[in-house]
Amino acid sequence: MAPTDQDPLLLLRQSIASGSAIMPTASADAAAPEVSLSQATYLTFTSPTRISLPISTPTRFISNDTPVDLRSIYFAWLNREVAIPEYNSFASQLNQDLGGKGQVHKFAYIEKLELMTWLEGASEDSECIKPLAGDKDGSASTAAAALASKGTTAPVAGSALGRSGKGTLDPRLASIYNSERKMGDRNSVLRGIKPTDFSHVRKLAASFMTKKPLHPSSSNVASNPSIASHQKQKRPDPIILLSPSASSLLRMSNIKSFLDGCQYVPPNSLTATSSTTANMLHINRLMKDIDTNRPMRFILVEGTEQFKPEYWNRVVAVFTTGQTWQFKNYKWSNPNELFRHIPGIYVGWRGEQPPESVRAWGHRVMNVAVDRWKNPGTTTVDSSRWRDREAVEGVWKAIESNMRAKGWKRDQAPSSI
């Protein structure tokens, strides 16, 4: 059986895409009933065939250099809509119920976001998920994941199953597979049966390379393996911190309509598009001065409780109301020190002076003014809010300018800020 057929992550993603049942069971028997997660020793997938894997099976998802087990992955998926504090509470309760028979891993919220995005099929790669064994470039796992996201599986010659899913070989598929032309991999094509030395080809090619030099950027990459490996690294997502204060004009419930839709609505308005219980959001924005072809995904959060030290190098803006308690758990709790590293943004009503604390922080905090909301109870868009777009574009321009100054590039983020 191919590695992709019993890979826990791919099986879970395929089952989610097809909507098939996933059952925790106490045995691998086909008739085993579903049990609670604390009593389960197997996780049974029902599509395309019934496969039971030990629930403690380590997966390719790596956290702190340690593979995360299948129970923790499945538990995180069940609680994907739950806020981080409640998720941690549920995980602690499950650990107590397990009674030492296992331990549920508690994901940091950036890790959880990466995992949920991959399982839902919104992305085909993740810096936390290792490629399958023998698939160094990730092509096989990416193809299998793409098929899984469409509710299908990669066909494997000699192991095709019929529609019944009980292990019966479909004669029509067997006939098709028998007519297939066997394709060799790159090793068999280049080397054949015996290892072949191709070092002499380099001498023959040297004369051609001197006459027709490669493009400067390409030659630099070819001659410097460290540059080539660095370019293959995935660019991390920048982070924007919001103020958790109840007096803030921008909260998780309305920040997306402001930064993405260029329309300000009150946090508690009926027109607010995001759930007030969400603890993280992401917005795609094309930053033309950094990458003209690929939009950047910005992660928006209110708290830093689950921050790893390296996450601070990815913070590109901090929204504030001027209340210093917001920075208590930040890497730099002193506002003057904080805004020397990260630009601040204060959003207030047009015609009103910002708080004294914001004015004292000087040019390091950008003041953005928006018009007051005229119809707080309406469900329609206020057509008079055309000046919101000007304010939003000013915010993005300031963020992009700071990112370029800090060293954000098309394929990498700054190592320190």
Side-chain angles (χ1 to χ4, degrees):
M1 185 172 286
T4 57
D5 289 350
Q6 285 193 333
D7 180 71
L9 289 181
L10 291 178
L11 284 173
L12 183 56
R13 182 177 180 179
Q14 175 188 339
S15 298
I16 292 170
S18 62
S20 58
I22 308 171
M23 300 186 301
T25 59
S27 72
D29 189 86
E34 184 175 359
V35 298
S36 65
L37 201 56
S38 61
Q39 299 175 342
T41 55
Y42 289 86
L43 193 63
T44 300
F45 303 91
T46 59
S47 177
T49 59
R50 189 180 180 94
I51 299 176
S52 297
L53 298 180
I55 203 164
S56 58
T57 302
T59 68
R60 293 181 290 115
F61 193 95
I62 307 300
S63 176
N64 296 325
D65 298 328
T66 303
V68 179
D69 63 289
L70 181 56
R71 180 192 286 113
S72 301
I73 298 290
Y74 180 62
F75 178 77
W77 170 254
L78 293 178
N79 295 277
R80 60 191 178 279
E81 302 293 341
V82 177
I84 287 295
E86 295 177 89
Y87 166 75
N88 290 334
S89 176
F90 294 161
S92 298
Q93 182 61 47
L94 180 56
N95 287 334
Q96 292 180 7
D97 296 340
L98 289 172
K101 294 183 294 183
Q103 191 76 12
V104 174
H105 174 77
K106 296 180 180 179
F107 291 90
Y109 63 83
I110 297 295
E111 293 178 336
K112 188 179 178 184
L113 176 63
E114 288 273 346
L115 177 61
M116 296 304 109
T117 303
W118 190 88
L119 288 176
E120 290 173 347
S123 68
E124 298 303 335
D125 59 351
S126 170
E127 59 185 7
C128 297
I129 300 178
K130 286 188 174 182
L132 290 168
D135 182 27
K136 295 181 179 179
D137 60 356
S139 59
S141 58
T142 300
L147 289 170
S149 66
K150 298 177 182 178
T152 62
T153 57
V156 180
S159 63
L161 301 180
R163 296 176 181 267
S164 62
K166 297 181 180 180
T168 303
L169 185 64
D170 191 325
R172 292 173 297 177
L173 287 180
S175 175
I176 293 173
Y177 290 142
N178 290 334
S179 302
E180 285 184 345
R181 178 183 177 185
K182 299 298 185 294
M183 303 294 293
D185 59 13
R186 58 186 180 185
N187 291 326
S188 61
V189 171
L190 292 177
R191 300 186 181 277
I193 300 175
K194 300 179 181 179
T196 306
D197 183 10
F198 288 96
S199 59
H200 66 283
V201 178
R202 182 179 299 177
K203 298 179 182 179
L204 297 175
S207 58
F208 297 98
M209 295 178 67
T210 55
K211 294 179 181 179
K212 297 181 179 180
L214 297 176
H215 190 274
S217 60
S218 301
S219 61
N220 290 339
V221 172
S223 61
N224 193 337
S226 63
I227 297 178
S229 62
H230 183 70
Q231 287 186 349
K232 292 180 181 179
Q233 296 178 359
K234 179 183 177 182
R235 179 186 63 198
D237 298 329
I239 300 172
I240 297 177
L241 290 176
L242 305 182
S243 171
S245 173
S247 62
S248 176
L249 298 187
L250 294 176
R251 301 295 304 275
M252 295 296 286
S253 59
N254 66 341
I255 186 64
K256 193 164 187 177
S257 64
F258 184 71
L259 290 181
D260 199 18
C262 297
Q263 178 80 30
Y264 176 79
V265 295
N268 57 351
S269 171
L270 296 177
T271 55
T273 58
S274 300
S275 172
T276 56
T277 60
N279 59 346
M280 72 182 74
L281 296 170
H282 68 266
I283 292 176
N284 294 325
R285 173 81 179 187
L286 183 65
M287 313 299 276
K288 295 182 179 179
D289 289 344
I290 299 176
D291 190 344
T292 57
N293 299 320
R294 181 176 49 157
M296 301 186 74
R297 185 176 70 169
F298 290 81
I299 299 176
L300 286 74
V301 294
E302 285 186 345
T304 61
E305 293 80 5
Q306 302 294 329
F307 255 43
K308 293 182 179 179
E310 60 268 23
Y311 290 171
W312 283 103
N313 296 329
R314 297 161 53 184
V315 179
V316 296
V318 174
F319 281 82
T320 180
T321 59
Q323 298 166 298
T324 57
W325 60 262
Q326 173 187 349
F327 319 125
K328 180 179 178 181
N329 296 323
Y330 283 19
K331 179 178 180 180
W332 301 283
S333 57
N334 184 300
N336 292 317
E337 179 69 15
L338 171 67
F339 295 126
R340 273 199 291 267
H341 295 275
I342 307 171
I345 300 174
Y346 170 79
V347 178
W349 297 124
R350 193 180 302 277
E352 293 186 359
Q353 286 288 335
E356 178 62 30
S357 57
V358 175
R359 295 199 301 269
W361 296 331
H363 68 280
R364 296 187 180 94
V365 178
M366 176 184 182
N367 293 324
V368 180
V370 296
D371 295 321
R372 284 187 175 275
W373 185 257
K374 296 180 180 180
N375 302 309
T378 184
T379 58
T380 59
V381 177
D382 188 349
S383 60
S384 66
R385 304 203 61 85
W386 54 271
R387 286 197 289 190
D388 288 347
R389 178 174 294 275
E390 180 182 3
V392 173
E393 292 298 330
V395 170
W396 282 118
K397 184 177 180 180
I399 293 176
E400 183 174 14
S401 176
N402 174 76
M403 291 177 66
R404 287 194 296 110
K406 293 296 184 181
W408 283 86
K409 297 181 180 179
R410 182 180 62 180
D411 51 7
Q412 67 183 27
S415 57
S416 63
I417 59 175

